[in-house]
Protein backbone atom coordinates (compact mmCIF):
# COMPACT_ATOMS: atom_id res chain seq x y z
CA UNK A 1 0.00 0.00 0.00
CA UNK A 2 2.81 2.46 0.77
CA UNK A 3 5.45 1.53 -1.81
CA UNK A 4 7.98 4.30 -2.38
CA UNK A 5 8.37 5.11 -6.06
CA UNK A 6 10.37 7.92 -7.65
CA UNK A 7 7.89 10.40 -9.08
CA UNK A 8 8.61 13.00 -11.74
CA UNK A 9 5.03 13.98 -12.46
CA UNK A 10 1.63 13.23 -11.03
CA UNK A 11 -1.08 11.95 -13.38
CA UNK A 12 -4.55 13.00 -12.28
CA UNK A 13 -7.93 12.62 -13.99
CA UNK A 14 -9.66 15.93 -14.68
CA UNK A 15 -12.76 14.58 -12.88
CA UNK A 16 -10.75 14.16 -9.65
CA UNK A 17 -9.16 17.61 -10.04
CA UNK A 18 -12.69 19.05 -10.25
CA UNK A 19 -13.89 16.99 -7.27
CA UNK A 20 -11.03 18.29 -5.10
CA UNK A 21 -11.63 21.87 -6.23
CA UNK A 22 -15.33 21.61 -5.33
CA UNK A 23 -14.43 20.29 -1.86
CA UNK A 24 -11.89 23.10 -1.38
CA UNK A 25 -14.59 25.67 -2.19
CA UNK A 26 -17.18 23.96 0.06
CA UNK A 27 -14.81 23.89 3.04
CA UNK A 28 -14.02 27.61 3.00
CA UNK A 29 -12.88 29.32 5.11
CA UNK A 30 -11.35 26.11 6.51
CA UNK A 31 -8.61 23.99 4.95
CA UNK A 32 -9.89 20.99 3.01
CA UNK A 33 -8.01 17.68 3.05
CA UNK A 34 -8.13 14.16 1.70
CA UNK A 35 -6.41 11.17 0.12
CA UNK A 36 -5.71 10.37 -3.49
CA UNK A 37 -5.97 6.63 -3.93
CA UNK A 38 -4.75 4.61 -6.90
CA UNK A 39 -7.23 1.75 -7.18
CA UNK A 40 -5.76 0.57 -10.49
CA UNK A 41 -3.05 2.13 -12.67
CA UNK A 42 -5.67 4.07 -14.61
CA UNK A 43 -8.19 4.52 -11.80
CA UNK A 44 -7.35 7.35 -9.40
CA UNK A 45 -9.84 8.65 -6.84
CA UNK A 46 -9.71 11.72 -4.60
CA UNK A 47 -11.43 10.98 -1.29
CA UNK A 48 -12.39 13.87 0.98
CA UNK A 49 -11.62 13.53 4.69
CA UNK A 50 -12.97 15.80 7.44
CA UNK A 51 -10.56 18.37 8.86
CA UNK A 52 -11.09 17.93 12.61
CA UNK A 53 -9.29 21.21 13.38
CA UNK A 54 -11.82 23.25 11.36
CA UNK A 55 -9.06 25.77 10.83
CA UNK A 56 -8.19 28.10 7.94
CA UNK A 57 -4.46 27.51 8.54
CA UNK A 58 -4.12 23.86 9.69
CA UNK A 59 -5.62 20.46 9.01
CA UNK A 60 -5.80 17.17 10.80
CA UNK A 61 -7.63 14.28 9.17
CA UNK A 62 -10.45 12.72 11.15
CA UNK A 63 -8.87 9.54 12.59
CA UNK A 64 -11.86 7.23 12.04
CA UNK A 65 -12.24 8.24 8.40
CA UNK A 66 -8.51 7.93 7.86
CA UNK A 67 -8.40 4.45 9.44
CA UNK A 68 -11.38 3.30 7.36
CA UNK A 69 -9.69 4.43 4.14
CA UNK A 70 -6.41 2.77 5.09
CA UNK A 71 -8.23 -0.45 5.93
CA UNK A 72 -9.93 -0.39 2.52
CA UNK A 73 -6.58 0.25 0.84
CA UNK A 74 -5.07 -2.78 2.60
CA UNK A 75 -8.05 -5.02 1.82
CA UNK A 76 -8.09 -4.11 -1.88
CA UNK A 77 -4.33 -3.61 -2.43
CA UNK A 78 -4.90 0.03 -3.36
CA UNK A 79 -2.01 2.48 -3.22
CA UNK A 80 -1.82 5.82 -1.44
CA UNK A 81 -0.80 8.05 -4.34
CA UNK A 82 -1.20 11.41 -2.66
CA UNK A 83 -2.51 13.57 0.13
CA UNK A 84 -4.09 16.89 -0.61
CA UNK A 85 -5.08 19.93 1.37
CA UNK A 86 -5.80 23.58 0.79
CA UNK A 87 -4.14 26.79 1.91
CA UNK A 88 -7.07 29.24 1.79
CA UNK A 89 -4.78 32.11 2.76
CA UNK A 90 -1.63 30.80 1.07
CA UNK A 91 1.18 30.01 0.61
CA UNK A 92 1.11 28.15 -2.70
CA UNK A 93 3.74 25.68 -1.46
CA UNK A 94 4.26 23.45 1.61
CA UNK A 95 4.49 25.32 4.89
CA UNK A 96 6.96 24.54 7.68
CA UNK A 97 4.07 22.78 9.45
CA UNK A 98 3.36 20.67 6.35
CA UNK A 99 6.98 19.53 6.29
CA UNK A 100 7.12 18.86 10.04
CA UNK A 101 3.86 16.88 10.09
CA UNK A 102 4.21 14.92 6.83
CA UNK A 103 3.42 11.32 7.75
CA UNK A 104 3.62 9.67 4.32
CA UNK A 105 6.72 10.90 2.48
CA UNK A 106 6.13 8.38 -0.34
CA UNK A 107 2.83 10.09 -1.17
CA UNK A 108 2.73 13.16 -3.38
CA UNK A 109 1.50 16.25 -1.52
CA UNK A 110 -0.98 18.39 -3.45
CA UNK A 111 -1.65 21.89 -2.18
CA UNK A 112 -4.61 23.96 -3.33
CA UNK A 113 -4.37 27.76 -3.11
CA UNK A 114 -6.37 30.78 -4.26
CA UNK A 115 -5.22 32.82 -7.20
CA UNK A 116 -6.78 35.50 -9.34
CA UNK A 117 -9.95 34.07 -10.84
CA UNK A 118 -10.18 30.87 -8.79
CA UNK A 119 -8.13 28.04 -7.35
CA UNK A 120 -5.02 26.22 -8.49
CA UNK A 121 -3.04 23.24 -7.22
CA UNK A 122 0.64 22.31 -7.14
CA UNK A 123 2.24 18.93 -6.39
CA UNK A 124 5.29 18.30 -4.24
CA UNK A 125 7.52 15.55 -2.90
CA UNK A 126 8.19 16.40 0.75
CA UNK A 127 11.49 15.84 2.51
CA UNK A 128 12.39 16.35 6.16
CA UNK A 129 12.98 20.06 5.74
CA UNK A 130 12.56 20.69 2.02
CA UNK A 131 10.30 19.99 -0.91
CA UNK A 132 10.52 19.46 -4.65
CA UNK A 133 7.77 20.49 -7.03
CA UNK A 134 6.61 18.01 -9.64
CA UNK A 135 4.30 18.52 -12.60
CA UNK A 136 0.61 17.63 -12.51
CA UNK A 137 -0.57 16.02 -15.75
CA UNK A 138 -4.35 16.17 -16.12
CA UNK A 139 -5.87 13.39 -18.22
Amino acid sequence: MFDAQPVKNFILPVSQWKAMEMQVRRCLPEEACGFIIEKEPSRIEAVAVTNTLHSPVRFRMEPGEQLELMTQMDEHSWRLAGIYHSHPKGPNHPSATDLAEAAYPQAVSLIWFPQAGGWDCRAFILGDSSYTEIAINLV
Side-chain angles (χ1 to χ4, degrees), residues 18-31:
K18 290 179 180 179
M20 285 187 287
E21 184 178 9
M22 285 175 38
Q23 179 202 3
V24 164
R25 291 177 185 271
R26 276 194 314 267
C27 287
L28 285 173
E30 300 173 3
E31 286 194 8

Side-chain angles (χ1 to χ4, degrees), residues 56-119:
V57 295
R58 297 269 320 264
F59 79 96
R60 179 152 299 124
M61 291 188 185
E62 199 285 321
E65 292 175 33
Q66 189 173 0
L67 180 60
E68 176 62 28
L69 283 168
M70 291 180 158
T71 300
Q72 288 179 22
M73 285 189 283
D74 275 342
E75 289 173 354
H76 299 286
S77 299
W78 296 338
R79 185 177 74 86
L80 177 62
I83 294 176
Y84 68 92
H85 72 282
S86 61
H87 284 175
K89 297 181 179 189
N92 65 356
H93 55 79
S95 66
T97 301
D98 294 334
L99 293 173
E101 295 182 355
Y104 305 102
Q106 73 289 350
V108 173
S109 179
L110 282 83
I111 298 180
W112 286 86
F113 56 93
Q115 66 170 14
W119 285 84

